Amino acid sequence: MLIKQYKEQLKAHNLKLTDKRLKLIEIFTRYDKYLSAKELQQQLVSVYPGISYDTIYRNLHTLTDIGVLEQTTLDGEMNYKISCTDDHHHHFICERCGETQVITYCPVEKWEDELAGVQLNSHKVELYGYCVECR
Amino acid sequence: MLIKQYKEQLKAHNLKLTDKRLKLIEIFTRYDKYLSAKELQQQLVSVYPGISYDTIYRNLHTLTDIGVLEQTTLDGEMNYKISCTDDHHHHFICERCGETQVITYCPVEKWEDELAGVQLNSHKVELYGYCVECR
DNA sequence: ATTTAAAACAGAATGATTACGAATTAGGTG
DNA sequence: CACCTAATTCGTAATCATTCTGTTTTAAAT
């Protein structure tokens, strides 16, 4: 997706186009994989020496809320990646390099059948292993 | 499963049958759902006033390693439950009461097909919502 | 150019988890 | 049963991710 479209996504939510936000989005589009707050901080300090974790975490939440990012917990840390624009999907995540691959097959209906009576709010499907390069 | 079988599982791994370990297992079999370290600490202090978090976390790891417990991250905290002895399965978790339900349908083969080339090591499937009582 | 609410800063606080040296204990051996 | 030793626990401090607070800066509307 083009940076321009992210800018409009921010504007549509009355959010300011700050340097830090745009830089964050740029980093996420450059690495199309899950990144931790620490990894982002390391990328950001070179450009914004005094950037605080508060800024990073706040923007990660904001960008997740408006759908620019998606999040998952890996090794006890929250990680974020640029959100795919496609339909419902899940991910395979390489345990070595962090690369992700989209998985389209998702049998929610089958699970709904199995769980007759309960109210399903959300679900998480994540596959882990080594990608073609890392195996 | 009977407590006796857990004792043998511990012995089979050359682990001692300490009071804390047996009490932990008893708590887990009593509540058949995911519990956090803090919830376990609250259960344990009444019996062992000076019990340290080190002891709790260490034993949670040990019991997970030998397959007595299974773990998952909920709300940023690691949670543990007594491991089902059945075949491969996943869980529905009630977001209000924490009750779990087993899901048996799992299309790993379909995902393997979709991910031709990668080496699949593990995967996570978790459904969230409200159970029949809580909805 | 001015104004102001949003955003960022600096650093302290919180909460989960781990680490460490000293003390205790389970379970094997004589 | 008494002793021994490695495993386990204790008590507490340290670490790490994340959040909070009060102040300062800034995007962008007027």
Side-chain angles (χ1 to χ4, degrees), chain B residues 16-19 37-38 53-54 57 61 76-78:
Chain B
K16 293 185 179 176
L17 304 180
T18 66
D19 294 349
K38 195 198 287 179
Y53 270 104
D54 182 58
Y57 279 108
H61 289 159
E77 289 177 52
M78 195 58 89

Side-chain angles (χ1 to χ4, degrees), chain B residues 18 20-21 24 50-60:
Chain B
T18 66
K20 326 283 149 99
R21 280 182 181 153
L24 262 178
I51 194 159
S52 83
Y53 270 104
D54 182 58
T55 301
I56 295 170
Y57 279 108
R58 191 167 18 72
N59 282 322
L60 289 175

Side-chain angles (χ1 to χ4, degrees), chain A residues 71-119:
Chain A
Q71 57 179 197
T72 196
T73 302
L74 299 175
D75 292 319
E77 289 177 53
M78 194 59 89
N79 284 56
Y80 302 82
K81 77 181 284 295
I82 203 83
S83 185
C84 317
T85 49
D86 328 305
D87 296 327
H88 183 74
H89 67 275
H90 298 289
H91 289 112
F92 161 84
I93 303 170
C94 177
E95 292 174 310
R96 284 226 177 88
C97 70
E99 215 66 45
T100 61
Q101 263 177 256
V102 170
I103 295 151
T104 55
Y105 181 68
C106 177
V108 213
E109 334 74 40
K110 293 230 182 190
W111 287 323
E112 277 170 346
D113 291 350
E114 227 183 304
L115 292 165
V118 321
Q119 178 189 323

Side-chain angles (χ1 to χ4, degrees), chain A residues 18-30:
Chain A
T18 66
D19 294 347
K20 326 283 149 98
R21 279 182 181 153
L22 298 177
K23 185 70 191 172
L24 261 177
I25 291 174
E26 189 236 297
I27 293 169
F28 276 115
T29 51
R30 187 142 41 87

Side-chain angles (χ1 to χ4, degrees), chain B residues 54-123:
Chain B
D54 182 58
T55 301
I56 295 170
Y57 279 108
R58 191 167 18 72
N59 282 322
L60 289 175
H61 289 159
T62 305
L63 293 173
T64 304
D65 288 345
I66 67 171
V68 169
L69 301 179
E70 45 188 291
Q71 59 180 196
T72 196
T73 302
L74 300 175
D75 291 318
E77 289 177 52
M78 195 58 89
N79 284 56
Y80 302 82
K81 78 181 283 297
I82 201 84
S83 185
C84 319
T85 49
D86 328 304
D87 294 327
H88 183 74
H89 67 276
H90 298 289
H91 289 113
F92 162 84
I93 303 171
C94 177
E95 292 174 310
R96 284 227 177 86
C97 72
E99 215 66 44
T100 60
Q101 265 177 254
V102 169
I103 296 149
T104 56
Y105 181 68
C106 177
V108 214
E109 333 74 41
K110 294 230 182 191
W111 288 324
E112 277 170 347
D113 291 349
E114 225 182 305
L115 292 165
V118 321
Q119 177 187 324
L120 255 175
N121 292 341
S122 64
H123 63 276

